[in-house]
Amino acid sequence: MTMWSVGSGLAICAGVMMASVLPVQEAQACDPALEYVVDALPAEDAVVAPDAQLLIFFNGAQDDPLVELVNAAGEQVPVSVERVNQAAFFGFVRELLPEAPLAEGSYSIRVTYDDEFQEDFERSFEVDAEHTWAPIESAPELTWYQETYAEGTGNSCEWGDEYQMIRFGEVPGAISYYVELERDDTILEQRYLSDKAGMFHGFVMQDIDCVRVVALGGDGGAGESTELCVPDKCNHFEGEMPFQFGTTDWDEVEGCEIEVPVEGDPDDSDAGSDDVGAGDVGSGADAGSDAGGWDVEEPSGGSDDEGGCSSTGGAPGGMMATALAMFGLLWRRRRAF
């Protein structure tokens, strides 16, 4: 079974802000930060089998760093490097594919940048020929909530009238999780590390037909998938639009009756709570967490050239055209399960 690997969707934003009434032409574009590493697989000092997947999660504007795998003697191990986008903007993964199964011993994944403002990265792990991967014996539980808005809302980083919230349950033996969002004949992909099970992950994205999730072992092998083609709950906003996505009190919503929506201004006290959107809207978290498809974690080393979001202007037309063009690069019909 072929398993496509995708990285964590991220961008540097202060969170989702309300759009102002200034002219559209005054709106600033959403600029990604300089590329940096967010996380990697295997985990630091992990003991893995020779067929372990080697993934590096990135955020920001794509650069061309030196990506290498070295053994205990500091010698380069021959690998090819493949880059794959995520459904969320500015997030991607590079997968290292060794030319042969790894021999026993210690290894390090290294990423080295030329720019002084970009932080280099190193991750060490151990290969044991006798190591076996735990079996994945169940499919993840899956929850899908959907917010819609009578008018577009957001800022220059994200703008739209539909917001998808997806939560998957923890599966014993899973090292990571793979999510598909299907729209017409296209598939958008998202990959999460195992510690992101149990929380909501959000996407500003329209017309999603179905969502699927599958748990993956350390070699990328997939268990049984779970699919939903109707959201579990829906909420529609009329009148004054919410200041940010993911603010619905879902305890007050039953089912998905789009024709009879739950309307009104959200209770701001619910925004960013542990029940809805925890780790998503305006929070700093690790790879795979996002705020409407945007992670807000910054690199530990900082940068003098950080990206940002502007809350000035209406729907940022030129930026949105660019964003849609980016999505065009992501949409490809690739079934992983």
Side-chain angles (χ1 to χ4, degrees):
M1 177 180 298
T2 300
M3 191 70 228
W4 290 89
S5 304
V6 289
S8 176
L10 310 166
I12 299 299
C13 297
V16 180
M17 300 169 286
M18 180 181 66
S20 75
V21 294
L22 296 178
V24 172
Q25 58 266 29
E26 295 183 14
Q28 300 177 16
C30 179
D31 298 321
L34 293 173
E35 178 188 297
Y36 66 92
V37 178
V38 178
D39 213 326
L41 288 176
E44 181 68 29
D45 297 327
V47 178
V48 300
D51 60 352
Q53 271 199 320
L54 310 179
L55 306 177
I56 315 173
F57 297 91
F58 292 85
N59 171 50
Q62 183 182 1
D63 205 336
D64 187 25
L66 174 63
V67 179
E68 56 186 345
L69 177 67
V70 299
N71 59 24
E75 301 167 333
Q76 287 194 12
V77 178
V79 296
S80 60
V81 180
E82 294 187 359
R83 180 188 185 278
V84 182
N85 288 318
Q86 287 246 86
F89 292 150
F90 302 137
F92 57 95
V93 70
R94 290 185 173 102
E95 180 173 9
L96 282 64
L97 301 171
E99 293 182 0
L102 298 177
E104 287 193 321
S106 299
Y107 294 86
S108 293
I109 296 172
R110 295 177 181 172
V111 180
T112 306
Y113 292 99
D114 292 330
D115 194 307
E116 62 177 317
F117 298 113
Q118 291 171 279
E119 185 175 352
D120 296 339
F121 175 84
E122 183 167 351
R123 169 63 55 84
S124 299
F125 61 94
E126 188 83 14
V127 172
D128 181 356
E130 301 301 320
H131 182 81
T132 58
W133 302 111
I136 300 176
E137 299 179 349
S138 62
E141 295 183 357
L142 179 60
T143 302
W144 177 15
Y145 293 166
Q146 184 181 82
E147 284 184 350
T148 55
Y149 315 92
E151 300 176 5
T153 188
N155 57 63
S156 65
C157 282
E158 53 184 359
W159 180 275
D161 58 12
E162 193 168 324
Y163 181 65
Q164 318 295 333
M165 300 179 66
I166 298 170
R167 180 176 62 189
F168 47 86
E170 182 178 0
V171 174
I175 302 299
S176 62
Y177 296 84
Y178 174 92
V179 170
E180 286 187 347
L181 300 99
E182 180 174 351
R183 175 167 50 194
D184 296 328
D185 61 348
T186 61
I187 297 293
L188 296 94
E189 305 170 336
Q190 193 81 9
R191 179 72 168 266
Y192 295 98
L193 299 181
S194 59
D195 61 349
K196 295 303 175 286
M199 65 177 63
F200 275 103
H201 305 283
F203 303 86
V204 181
M205 193 175 296
Q206 295 177 321
D207 302 326
I208 297 301
D209 298 317
C210 297
V211 298
R212 286 178 287 272
V213 62
V214 65
L216 307 179
D219 60 351
E224 183 181 354
S225 66
T226 303
E227 178 181 84
L228 290 177
C229 293
V230 176
D232 295 290
K233 293 185 178 183
C234 300
N235 184 26
H236 181 74
F237 288 99
E238 293 281 351
E240 185 177 359
M241 294 301 100
F243 291 176
Q244 60 183 10
F245 302 104
T247 57
T248 298
D249 181 356
W250 292 106
D251 290 337
E252 301 298 322
V253 179
E254 293 185 6
C256 201
E257 296 292 337
I258 298 296
E259 294 79 11
V260 188
V262 177
E263 301 178 358
D265 197 24
D267 182 354
D268 289 341
S269 64
D270 292 328
S273 70
D274 289 337
D275 292 332
V276 179
D280 296 340
V281 180
S283 69
D286 295 329
S289 168
D290 42 28
W294 302 88
D295 191 290
V296 297
E297 180 185 17
E298 299 190 27
S300 58
S303 171
D304 291 341
D305 189 18
E306 293 178 349
C309 302
S310 168
S311 62
T312 59
M319 182 279 296
M320 288 302 294
T322 301
L324 290 174
M326 291 174 61
F327 265 128
L329 296 176
L330 300 180
W331 297 341
R332 58 193 69 183
R333 189 65 173 176
R334 299 184 311 198
R335 298 304 301 272
F337 44 85

